[in-house]
Amino acid sequence: KKKDFGKYLLQVKPDSPLGDYYIGKYYDTVNKPDASLAHYKVAQQKVKAAKSPFLHQLYKDNVLSVVAQF
């Protein structure tokens, strides 16, 4: 499951955005946009801290896709 994988990633590498990304994707699939958005935002903040323009855009696109569901 994406959620379990995300939790595992957060334990192994808490500074990586991938854990929050996978948890956000899980909440996307079960139609819980509030929870999904929260995790995507955390992931995006981690990407900003890493200063990666490519990853920043990728996570920004995820946030915008969830916001469009409201």
Side-chain angles (χ1 to χ4, degrees):
K1 258 184 169 178
K2 291 177 186 173
K3 185 178 177 184
D4 294 335
F5 183 59
K7 286 181 178 182
Y8 169 75
L9 289 173
L10 287 176
Q11 289 177 352
V12 174
K13 193 148 178 154
D15 293 338
S16 171
L18 288 176
D20 289 293
Y21 171 76
Y22 278 103
I23 294 171
K25 285 304 252 184
Y26 164 76
Y27 284 121
D28 262 349
T29 61
V30 296
N31 200 23
K32 293 191 176 190
D34 290 335
S36 178
L37 183 60
H39 283 279
Y40 283 154
K41 284 184 176 182
V42 170
Q44 187 179 18
Q45 292 304 315
K46 290 178 182 180
V47 168
K48 283 182 182 178
K51 297 184 175 147
S52 171
F54 170 75
L55 288 178
H56 174 68
Q57 186 62 45
L58 177 68
Y59 285 95
K60 181 180 176 185
D61 291 345
N62 284 323
V63 169
L64 293 175
S65 72
V66 174
V67 169
Q69 295 177 29
F70 287 101

